[in-house]
Amino acid sequence: MALVETRPVNRIKQNLWDKSYIPEIVRGLAITTRHFFRNMNPDKSQRSTFTREYPEVPTVYPERYRGLHRLMLRADGQVRCVACMCCSTICPADCIHIEAAEHDDPAIEKYPRVFVIDELRCIVCGLCVEACPCDAIRMDGGVHIPPYTERGAAFFDRDLLMERGGLSLAVQGGESK
Amino acid sequence: MPKVTVNGTEIEVDKGTTILRAAAEAGFEVPHFCYHPALSIPANCRMCLVEVEGAWKLQPACYSQVTDGMVINTKSERVVKAQKAVLEFILVNHPVDCPICDQAGECKLQDYYVAYDSQESRLRAEKVHKVKVFPIGPEVLYDGERCILCTRCVRFCEEITATNELTIVQRGDRAEIRAFPGRELDNKYSVCTADICPVGALTARDFRFKCRVWLLNSTDSVCTGCSNGCNIHLEHFRNEIQRYRPRFNPAVNDYWMCDAGRLTYKEVHTDRLLHPTNNGAELNWHAVCETVADKLKRAIDEVGSDKIALVLSPQASCEDLHLARKFASDVIKTSRFYMGGKRDGDSDDFLIKADKNPNRRGIEAVFGSTTAALPFSQLVDDIEAGTVQVVYMMDQYMPVDAATAARFVERLDKLKLFVFQAQHQGALAQKAHIALPVCSHAESEGTFVNFEGIAQGFERAFAAHGESLPHWQIFMRLAQAMGKPFSYTFIQQIRKEMFAPRPDSVASGTAEGVPVE
Ligand code: SF4
Ligand code: SF4
Ligand code: SF4
Ligand code: SF4
Ligand code: FES
């Protein structure tokens, strides 16, 4: 049997002054009051508050933060995604729905006629981004997934996802060189 | 018999065996593109090079035959180097389109690259561009950039269909596959070229962009397109068939199947009857069986059993038919059978048979003779003459011309009772007093007997659509409702009773060993 490791704790003996509580309460209130007035200082740099005035002052997320998805664009504004289904295959939450279709341009061939992500079901793992061979899907916008009041609002379709998309530096097949 | 040593394993093989086959028997894979067991051996891709002790050059394993005492090495340094070189050469102008390529996931080039190459591309020059999405035939699309010029497709059209549509045009890095001038790849087996194309150069139009192959589930089944009963991989995703792919069976269809048969899966998902109905009102199974039992009993009392006709379907499995026979003889006590099923169609001297029903020989096997059932046209006459007043029909097919079929539909109004037990909606379902939904061969298991008398089992792929049930289960429920229950619990019990020798022995006793495709 494994031995239980114990550690003796040196308890501080309370004296009468401590035990009567009153002076300590007064001391505590004094600290709180001091902080209160310090944080009322019109000069914000003098305040010591940690509270962020969200949403008036937005949070700046770290660079690798995984936020809301976006679909990247080709130079001509078309969707980069070629509906290869790598993202929907790897997605552990099974929340990406893609329907592929034939593109008019034979150099592109395949594109997603339907692309819907259920952001509420998404577990924000980022595997879809890793899986994408075309740099077509990203979660790097620095925008977190908003709260929804309605279930349907969590279904982000292709156009909505493209609205937050941008250009990619990666070269893509089928692009005129 | 020659004794050879492959990578240190000594085996004895038949005289004339190629190194590739001998290695496969010894348990070693030799990668290959152009070799296909059903086609001639051009040895043009050079993927299969192996080292033979004593020979100063590497040998193509697909072509070279073994000799006694041969010592073969499929993994030596020289072989590995050659494999890398061949793959690098093939990939020089390959577009690596995998994200949009339907072959991805079942592509030999992908698999071999991962298994034998996996080095980064050293190529910095622009790749040669060729045709893409080229409609080489009505059912098949060609992508020149992906083509590795193995000529499997060309040889298929020369040797299997003997239609000779395809050839290679141009030379060197501009070479491409094309149909001869004025022709296209339109033989009745054209999609087989997409199956045997080791890469995504030939792809089936019907399957195009429908589903990624790694998402498919595959179930062993039998094509219901005609009485040849080609063995298939029924491939499905989320309760829907995505495609049929031929399954190797040298006794029936070898590696092939026809284009028309491939598309028969569409029937499974169109216009299905989903709920049992009584005069158009949906009922549950329990209630509808009570109703049918009640109506049948009354009909028997009123018109007598011999005025009740049972239309047999050669589309149904032997198990279904066996219970149909039992239901007729033990429960309604009629022996008035008529033959349903599809009308005859085109045929050729390869796989396609004129009889478009997969199980006509099954009716023979179950009922003991071909004359057990009267022709369908007779039924129309008998209804008119009043000798038939109740019709119990399996499946909606009518093996008669359109005029007779229309006459039949019209005469249905004269009937006391019309029970319709089928997969599909339509005029008959509308006329039916009782319509009972039946599930397709993809949703049930069973046995078909093909035109040669080979019994072949098929497996259940996914759950039944709606509330449909297999024919045999419906007969069981009805027999129960009519107070004469059958005592089966499993389909195997029906099988045992149906044929003296078990069908499985013929069904799965197909290929010897594993085919090297
Ligand atoms: S982040 Fe993860 S759960 Fe969300 S869509 Fe991507 S793969 Fe699916
Ligand atoms: S992995 Fe990328 S290219 Fe493929 S379907 Fe997803 S977003 Fe589109
Ligand atoms: S043929 Fe194979 S390697 Fe070439 S693009 Fe298609 S899947 Fe990729
Ligand atoms: S189309 Fe396919 S089968 Fe035909 S030569 Fe090219 S790679 Fe081979
Ligand atoms: S050369 Fe042997 S398989 Fe192609």
Side-chain angles (χ1 to χ4, degrees), chain B residues 171-435:
Chain B
R171 277 187 296 173
D173 62 7
R174 278 194 259 163
E176 283 180 32
I177 300 292
R178 276 291 188 293
F180 281 101
R183 302 198 57 184
E184 51 174 359
L185 179 58
D186 57 357
N187 65 56
K188 287 179 180 162
Y189 302 88
S190 64
V191 185
C192 290
T193 57
D195 288 339
I196 59 171
C197 180
V199 291
L202 293 173
T203 48
R205 205 185 276 263
D206 178 63
F207 185 62
R208 188 164 166 83
F209 300 162
K210 223 160 65 174
C211 185
R212 299 312 318 239
V213 298
W214 58 79
L215 300 172
L216 294 172
N217 284 315
S218 184
T219 305
D220 287 358
S221 190
V222 174
C223 173
T224 55
C226 79
S227 58
N228 198 57
C230 293
N231 291 210
I232 55 168
H233 297 284
L234 184 151
E235 298 189 321
H236 50 102
F237 177 60
R238 298 202 171 140
N239 284 5
E240 206 174 307
I241 305 177
Q242 305 292 329
R243 66 171 177 185
Y244 285 170
R245 212 159 45 82
R247 182 158 56 92
F248 178 59
N249 185 345
V252 179
N253 57 316
D254 228 358
Y255 296 91
W256 323 117
M257 72 183 294
C258 75
D259 293 355
R262 267 180 219 265
L263 298 181
T264 53
Y265 77 86
K266 295 199 169 171
E267 255 180 47
V268 171
H269 301 295
T270 31
D271 290 339
R272 287 287 296 269
L273 269 175
L274 296 175
H275 305 283
T277 56
N278 175 18
N279 291 320
E282 274 179 27
L283 287 182
N284 63 21
W285 274 109
H286 181 73
V288 87
C289 288
E290 295 296 327
T291 317
V292 177
D294 193 45
K295 287 193 174 178
L296 273 177
K297 270 189 206 147
R298 251 189 292 149
I300 294 171
D301 290 343
E302 273 175 42
V303 298
S305 291
D306 64 325
K307 294 220 165 121
I308 303 182
L310 181 59
V311 181
L312 302 173
S313 169
Q315 295 275 333
S317 71
C318 292
E319 290 78 355
D320 295 337
L321 291 163
H322 182 70
L323 284 211
R325 192 185 68 134
K326 235 175 120 100
F327 182 72
S329 64
D330 298 3
V331 181
I332 40 182
K333 303 204 163 42
T334 177
S335 54
R336 193 176 267 286
F337 298 117
Y338 294 88
M339 185 69 90
K342 286 189 187 173
R343 298 182 66 187
D344 280 2
D346 61 330
S347 66
D348 65 8
D349 53 6
F350 185 32
L351 298 177
I352 303 171
K353 300 290 172 289
D355 181 2
K356 296 298 170 204
N357 300 294
N359 202 26
R360 190 176 302 275
R361 288 291 294 267
I363 294 189
E364 262 170 55
V366 169
F367 285 79
S369 81
T370 37
T371 49
L374 303 166
F376 194 84
S377 50
Q378 173 93 43
L379 175 63
V380 188
D381 298 339
D382 287 350
I383 295 176
E384 271 168 11
T387 38
V388 167
Q389 300 200 355
V390 174
V391 171
Y392 192 113
M393 184 163 177
M394 290 169 78
D395 288 343
Q396 81 276 25
Y397 307 106
M398 292 177 272
V400 285
D401 56 46
T404 320
R407 204 147 61 89
F408 174 70
V409 175
E410 211 175 285
R411 292 299 173 278
L412 287 174
D413 294 333
K414 281 184 64 175
L415 294 173
K416 279 224 146 44
L417 176 62
F418 176 44
V419 183
F420 180 62
Q421 176 172 310
Q423 277 179 44
H424 294 103
Q425 313 259 9
L428 291 179
Q430 270 171 12
K431 290 258 179 181
H433 299 124
I434 308 272

Side-chain angles (χ1 to χ4, degrees), chain A residues 82 84-85 89 94 102 109, chain B residues 99 132 208 212 214 238:
Chain A
V82 295
C84 70
M85 316 272 175
T89 302
D94 201 7
E102 185 88 44
E109 278 193 56
Chain B
K132 299 195 77 79
R208 188 164 166 83
R212 299 312 318 239
W214 58 79
R238 298 202 171 140

Side-chain angles (χ1 to χ4, degrees), chain B residues 91 94-98 101 103-105 107-110 146 199-201:
Chain B
L91 286 167
H94 195 86
V96 202
D97 263 349
C98 311
C101 180
Q103 190 83 0
C107 172
K108 273 187 188 264
L109 186 52
Q110 268 188 337
R146 293 181 200 151
V199 291

Side-chain angles (χ1 to χ4, degrees), chain A residues 66-67 69 86-96 115-119 121-131 137 139 145:
Chain A
R66 294 192 296 264
H69 295 88
C86 287
C87 54
S88 62
T89 302
I90 199 149
C91 177
D94 201 7
C95 65
I96 308 180
F115 192 118
V116 182
I117 301 182
D118 180 353
E119 295 286 357
R121 218 178 182 198
C122 168
I123 58 164
V124 210
C125 64
L127 287 175
C128 49
V129 180
E130 302 269 323
I137 189 167
M139 300 173 80
I145 295 170

